[in-house]
Amino acid sequence: MPNGIHGKTAIVTGSTSGIGLAIAERLAESGCNVVLNGFGDAIAINATCVTLAERTGVHVSHSGADMSKPDQIEAMVREAEEVHGAVDVLVNNAGIQHVSPVEGFPPDKWEQILAINLSSNFYTVRAALPGMKRRGWGRIVNIASAHGLVASPYKSAYVAAKHGVLGFTKSVALEVAETAITCNAICPGYVKTPLVEGQIKDQARAHNMPEEQVVRDVILASQPNKRFVATSALADLVLFLCSSSADAITGTALPVDGGWTAR
Ligand code: NAD
């Protein structure tokens, strides 16, 4: 596969864990400098940066910017441009979940989910796009969800935010369509990350069921292949979208969901 990212620089938001970390690792393995972002234990995050840099030979740093804070997002992008000279690849991945009936949905949770899962995409793109335009190349990949295409009950903020991500992705793609910048969204089904492991435990408690049964009958109820999506499959797709083979793929929402949205 043609590799257009060797020597380039990527920011992957929410990459101290789960899907984001797998994407950051794959980009680094392909010769791309990476700026990790997200929360967690400072010593563990530093160890991840050092180990990944040693293993891949690229520059790996970490920004603790909070994706619900526009000024911190702007500062993260500016710092990456100063340190690396560019932000060529932007992966908007940070996201959180809260499950509740809509009438009892806490307003602060609604605002937080909209800010982290949707508005952060606007603020990162707003900050990074001028540099991509100046350099004449860029890749923006927004990690949405199957919940960007279809809904589930009790996830109103998440579903609204992820549907919003798809609309935003299309608008940005059209605005830059005549340049060599593409903007796409990936819509994963269930992936076994800390975000979902928490949901398995909660549901097992709520339904008084063994965790294996929760996985099959509750979590993967809407995922026809009954298997979690591998983080490596999502990382490989991001890498493909960064290649020159994907030059004409823009404004899309790509499901990786075991058939969920085929129903
Ligand atoms: P995760 O909980 O494993 O990781 C989330 C990451 O986001 C962590 O690095 C965390 O520190 C970071 N983060 C959270 N709040 C942040 C904030 N305010 N500022 C900066 N970073 C913040 O989750 P995951 O499952 O890897 O999810 C990653 C993305 O994929 C999310 O957008 C999620 O909605 C989406 N997604 C996940 C699944 C799934 O089944 N796991 C399915 C579809 C879509």
Side-chain angles (χ1 to χ4, degrees):
M1 184 193 301
N3 178 1
I5 57 166
H6 200 275
K8 289 191 160 64
T9 297
I11 292 179
V12 184
T13 73
S15 51
T16 52
S17 166
I19 297 168
L21 182 56
I23 293 169
E25 286 174 340
R26 183 69 85 256
L27 294 174
E29 287 159 2
S30 308
C32 189
N33 300 313
V34 287
V35 178
L36 301 178
N37 160 256
F39 303 146
D41 175 66
I43 294 171
I45 292 172
N46 188 49
T48 301
C49 291
V50 171
T51 310
L52 188 56
E54 280 174 3
R55 183 162 70 77
T56 59
V58 302
H59 191 281
V60 181
S61 59
H62 170 254
S63 162
D66 183 337
M67 291 302 106
S68 68
K69 302 278 189 305
D71 54 334
Q72 293 187 26
I73 294 172
E74 170 92 23
M76 173 183 73
V77 174
R78 295 291 156 256
E79 192 186 326
E81 288 178 332
E82 273 163 34
V83 172
H84 300 288
V87 175
D88 306 291
V89 175
L90 171 63
V91 182
N92 283 307
N93 168 78
I96 59 165
Q97 176 63 285
H98 184 80
V99 179
S100 164
V102 67
E103 69 276 22
F105 210 96
D108 62 327
K109 282 286 174 203
W110 172 274
E111 298 294 343
Q112 202 187 7
I113 289 175
L114 268 285
I116 296 168
N117 295 16
L118 174 60
S119 299
S120 72
N121 290 217
F122 162 68
Y123 288 109
T124 54
V125 169
R126 186 175 184 277
L129 197 53
M132 290 180 179
K133 283 184 170 171
R134 271 196 310 278
R135 289 182 299 278
W137 193 90
R139 289 289 185 266
I140 301 166
V141 183
N142 300 323
I143 306 302
S145 168
H147 280 124
L149 295 162
V150 293
S152 294
Y154 312 122
K155 297 185 175 177
S156 55
Y158 188 87
V159 169
K162 295 298 188 179
H163 275 68
V165 168
L166 299 194
F168 178 66
T169 301
K170 291 185 213 173
S171 269
V172 173
L174 293 179
E175 288 184 29
V176 297
E178 291 189 32
T179 72
I181 302 166
T182 65
C183 180
N184 291 286
I186 295 177
C187 299
Y190 279 104
V191 189
K192 202 170 182 196
T193 65
L195 187 138
V196 168
E197 276 159 5
Q199 289 183 41
I200 295 171
K201 287 197 188 333
D202 291 348
Q203 296 280 350
R205 236 175 283 122
H207 297 277
N208 197 20
M209 274 183 192
E211 289 191 11
E212 308 76 67
Q213 197 185 343
V214 167
V215 166
R216 188 177 171 83
D217 298 342
V218 181
I219 302 281
L220 296 181
S222 27
Q223 201 151 303
N225 70 345
K226 301 290 177 196
R227 293 188 299 277
F228 285 108
V229 176
T231 54
S232 59
L234 301 172
D236 287 342
L237 182 53
V238 171
L239 191 61
F240 174 71
L241 289 172
C242 290
S243 73
S244 56
S245 300
D247 277 352
I249 302 177
T250 196
T252 64
L254 298 163
V256 185
D257 64 5
W260 179 346
T261 54
R263 286 180 191 276

